[in-house]
Amino acid sequence: DQSLVGSVEDLAIFASSVDKRKGLIKTAIVATNDSTFELAELYKSYIRKSSVQFEVFRTIDYANAWLEE
């Protein structure tokens, strides 16, 4: 769906602009279903060149552990 891809691109642009203003941002997404996980991974691929640290997890425990590192 092209509109979905556009939304992911918009999120990546926004994250990059926030990153430049506020420094390092660490974000964890908990995806409880496959479509959310795939969308979050797509978003992650768009922002990989920025200094935004972004990871996708299946459980909140793993997400919290990564955020506390």
Side-chain angles (χ1 to χ4, degrees):
D1 185 340
Q2 189 62 31
S3 64
L4 186 60
V5 173
S7 297
V8 171
E9 289 173 319
D10 292 340
L11 285 171
I13 291 166
F14 173 76
S16 294
S17 70
V18 170
D19 181 45
K20 290 175 185 170
R21 290 184 309 218
K22 296 187 178 184
L24 182 64
I25 296 172
K26 194 171 187 179
T27 304
I29 297 292
V30 178
T32 58
N33 62 56
D34 290 341
S35 60
T36 303
F37 190 88
E38 290 170 13
L39 178 60
E41 284 291 327
L42 179 61
Y43 174 70
K44 182 179 170 181
S45 72
Y46 277 108
I47 65 166
R48 72 176 178 255
K49 293 181 181 178
S50 75
S51 62
V52 174
Q53 291 182 300
F54 182 90
E55 290 296 333
V56 185
F57 301 92
R58 293 287 187 172
T59 70
I60 193 128
D61 292 334
Y62 287 123
N64 283 331
W66 178 75
L67 287 169
E68 292 173 3
E69 290 179 353

